[in-house]
Amino acid sequence: MANSASGDSVVDRVVRVIEAFPEGVTSLQLSELADRSGLPLSSAHRLVRQLSEHGLLDLGAGGTVRLGLRLWELVNRNSPTLALRQAAMPFMEDIQQVLNQNVNLAVLDGWEALFVERLSRRGSVANRARIAGRMPVHISSAGLALMAYQSRELQAEYLEQFVDPSGKLTAGVVRHLLAEAAQQGYAQLAGVVDPDTWGIAVPVMNAKRRTVAALGVVVPLAEMRLQALVPALQTAARGIGRQLGD
Amino acid sequence: MANSASGDSVVDRVVRVIEAFPEGVTSLQLSELADRSGLPLSSAHRLVRQLSEHGLLDLGAGGTVRLGLRLWELVNRNSPTLALRQAAMPFMEDIQQVLNQNVNLAVLDGWEALFVERLSRRGSVANRARIAGRMPVHISSAGLALMAYQSRELQAEYLEQFVDPSGKLTAGVVRHLLAEAAQQGYAQLAGVVDPDTWGIAVPVMNAKRRTVAALGVVVPLAEMRLQALVPALQTAARGIGRQLGD
């Protein structure tokens, strides 16, 4: 693979350009893109032009760069989460209808919950779990539900490296939260992300009883009815798991 | 940019590898990926390994290759359709609730409608408009609604090159369909894709009255009530347009 003078490969540079967009930012000026990806303007321009020819980027008038519609199409039509999302969507709609709350679906990626699908109700409480958003395991009910059913080895590895940037939680507390979630069959977190909301999540297990996702809702504290929410979520999670098979 | 012996650049090869996945196929064996992308197995392997290191692909045990969760995340969190989909989603949910039918949102890309969002009801009629699926303008109500409000120049260019692969439609008939849609404020197509369904779509215009999307439903013929469907769609489309601004 060909290397530039600075020693990075073309593949590295392609990745740096795609990664240069901060979360939720859909367009960047070419000069800012060059800055953020650490490339000389001329190299960035050449690379952007090449990627634009293939529709992976979109280079507009005035040097505005966006991710290309073609890239979005390619990634979404063959998404690694396609089967999971297709299996889950009807059940998520059921939950949304029955509970009238925000519903989300997350997978474990590293030590974070990555939200792969979301349904939100207008008028419902804010849900910070955006599609393609992330939250650390220890501050999201989805993350706790995902981690609580992983192997002992993985949990140990997670707790081993655990440091709470806010200094509020110790690994011991997180270990307790995980054990509690595993024992109860659901995870709940009150007011960690938003002071007036409560997150509840349950594991989604495939036919091999491997936890492949977490299904959750975010509800206002005043509407918190665990005895109604948890059975509905668990029922939907079992339905998703059955659809998924192995 | 460095070229291989065959003259294609690294960027070209990256694109060919990402494009090699057929629609809806989420994993390929490395050898098949090499075949489909027209690369020697050794080059394909090296490229896949490099892209895997960055999470753009996922090279699993046994040589199974998938698009990477990281690529999915990067593309979706900064999607070129993010603002449109965020503006549209609550209104699409309203339509789904009120009409109890499949709802979809499409943008014009080339001479095709590219479906960027979809909500489907369990038990409702089949809707072939998948997310990230495409349909030619002339056989989708979304496509007709999108094209009917483009500039005369773009419409002329479209009709100029128009050939119906099935030989059923002439450019003259499509011109008539577009004129009808523009005059009525909506497009409808009965039984073209599925014999027992009807598609209805209306344009979504931004504050500058530019048609940026089409909002549509797919309903069973027996439930076709234009006088109810069209006003609901038009109301929702205006709401989306207002959210979008310019």
Side-chain angles (χ1 to χ4, degrees):
Chain A
M1 203 60 59
N3 289 337
S4 73
S6 59
D8 55 348
S9 74
V10 176
V11 172
D12 290 330
R13 280 177 272 154
V14 168
V15 172
R16 275 155 64 189
V17 163
I18 294 177
E19 286 191 332
F21 291 81
E23 185 165 346
V25 171
T26 58
S27 71
L28 283 177
Q29 282 298 305
L30 186 56
S31 54
E32 195 182 351
L33 183 66
D35 273 359
R36 288 183 172 274
S37 53
L39 295 174
L41 185 57
S42 59
S43 309
H45 194 179
R46 197 167 54 235
L47 197 55
V48 166
R49 220 176 39 224
Q50 278 194 298
L51 290 166
S52 299
E53 280 162 17
H54 295 288
L56 264 56
L57 292 179
D58 177 25
L59 176 56
T64 305
V65 186
R66 296 168 184 269
L67 295 185
L69 208 48
R70 175 75 180 145
L71 179 60
W72 181 87
E73 178 187 4
L74 286 169
V75 169
N76 280 282
R77 74 178 200 187
N78 307 307
S79 151
T81 66
L82 191 65
L84 174 63
R85 282 157 59 224
Q86 283 181 338
M89 205 58 173
F91 294 97
M92 293 179 69
E93 286 168 2
D94 292 344
I95 289 291
Q96 184 197 36
Q97 298 263 334
V98 172
L99 301 181
N100 196 30
Q101 301 291 357
N102 292 307
V103 194
N104 56 57
L105 184 74
V107 299
L108 188 65
D109 191 46
W111 306 132
E112 293 177 312
L114 174 63
F115 290 86
V116 298
E117 198 54 87
R118 172 194 179 189
L119 288 177
S120 56
R121 289 269 316 143
R122 202 147 41 151
S124 71
V125 71
N127 178 351
R128 297 214 180 152
R130 297 167 313 285
I131 289 184
R134 283 174 179 271
M135 295 223 284
V137 159
H138 71 286
I139 57 164
S140 64
S141 52
L144 290 174
L146 284 163
M147 185 57 79
Y149 294 90
Q150 301 302 318
S151 67
R152 273 168 203 280
E153 293 73 26
L154 193 78
Q155 282 192 28
E157 197 186 326
Y158 165 66
L159 291 167
E160 178 77 21
Q161 60 77 53
F162 178 80
V163 182
D164 181 4
S166 77
K168 286 184 200 156
L169 288 183
T170 63
V173 172
V174 176
R175 186 194 312 275
H176 174 75
L177 288 173
L178 292 174
E180 195 177 60
Q183 190 254 317
Q184 290 175 334
Y186 64 87
Q188 53 170 315
L189 271 183
V192 175
V193 176
D194 270 310
D196 298 325
T197 66
W198 204 307
I200 301 117
V202 302
V204 175
M205 296 180 183
N206 67 9
K208 290 179 174 159
R209 303 278 302 160
R210 204 166 69 78
T211 295
V212 293
L215 178 70
V217 287
V218 176
V219 302
L221 278 178
E223 295 176 23
M224 182 61 180
R225 304 277 181 277
L226 265 185
Q227 67 276 29
L229 294 170
V230 170
L233 284 173
Q234 287 174 331
T235 304
R238 292 176 65 96
I240 298 170
R242 203 158 46 238
Q243 282 289 318
L244 278 177
D246 290 356
Chain B
M1 204 59 60
N3 289 338
S4 73
S6 59
D8 55 346
S9 75
V10 176
V11 171
D12 291 329
R13 281 178 272 154
V14 168
V15 173
R16 275 154 65 189
V17 163
I18 294 177
E19 286 190 333
F21 292 81
E23 185 166 346
V25 171
T26 58
S27 73
L28 283 176
Q29 282 299 306
L30 186 56
S31 53
E32 196 183 350
L33 183 66
D35 274 357
R36 288 183 172 273
S37 54
L39 295 173
L41 185 57
S42 58
S43 309
H45 194 179
R46 197 167 55 234
L47 197 55
V48 165
R49 218 174 42 224
Q50 277 194 298
L51 289 166
S52 299
E53 280 162 17
H54 295 287
L56 265 53
L57 292 179
D58 177 24
L59 176 56
T64 304
V65 187
R66 296 167 185 269
L67 296 185
L69 207 50
R70 175 76 180 143
L71 179 60
W72 180 89
E73 178 188 5
L74 286 169
V75 169
N76 280 281
R77 75 178 200 187
N78 306 307
S79 151
T81 66
L82 191 66
L84 174 63
R85 283 158 57 225
Q86 283 181 337
M89 205 58 173
F91 295 97
M92 293 179 69
E93 286 168 1
D94 292 345
I95 290 290
Q96 185 196 35
Q97 298 261 336
V98 172
L99 302 180
N100 195 31
Q101 301 292 357
N102 292 306
V103 195
N104 55 57
L105 185 74
V107 299
L108 189 64
D109 190 46
W111 307 131
E112 293 178 311
L114 174 64
F115 290 87
V116 297
E117 199 54 87
R118 172 194 178 187
L119 287 176
S120 56
R121 289 269 315 143
R122 203 147 39 152
S124 72
V125 73
N127 178 351
R128 297 212 182 152
R130 298 167 312 286
I131 289 183
R134 285 175 177 269
M135 295 224 282
V137 160
H138 71 287
I139 57 163
S140 64
S141 52
L144 290 174
L146 284 162
M147 185 57 79
Y149 293 89
Q150 302 302 319
S151 67
R152 273 170 202 279
E153 293 71 26
L154 193 79
Q155 283 193 28
E157 198 187 326
Y158 165 66
L159 291 167
E160 177 77 22
Q161 59 76 52
F162 178 78
V163 182
D164 181 3
S166 77
K168 286 185 199 153
L169 288 183
T170 63
V173 172
V174 177
R175 186 194 313 274
H176 174 74
L177 288 174
L178 292 174
E180 196 178 60
Q183 190 254 317
Q184 290 175 334
Y186 62 89
Q188 52 169 315
L189 271 184
V192 175
V193 176
D194 270 311
D196 299 325
T197 66
W198 204 306
I200 301 117
V202 303
V204 175
M205 296 183 185
N206 67 8
K208 289 179 174 159
R209 303 280 300 160
R210 205 166 68 79
T211 296
V212 292
L215 179 70
V217 287
V218 175
V219 302
L221 278 178
E223 295 177 24
M224 182 63 180
R225 304 276 181 278
L226 266 185
Q227 66 275 28
L229 295 171
V230 170
L233 284 173
Q234 287 174 331
T235 304
R238 291 175 67 96
I240 298 169
R242 204 159 44 240
Q243 282 289 318
L244 278 176
D246 291 355

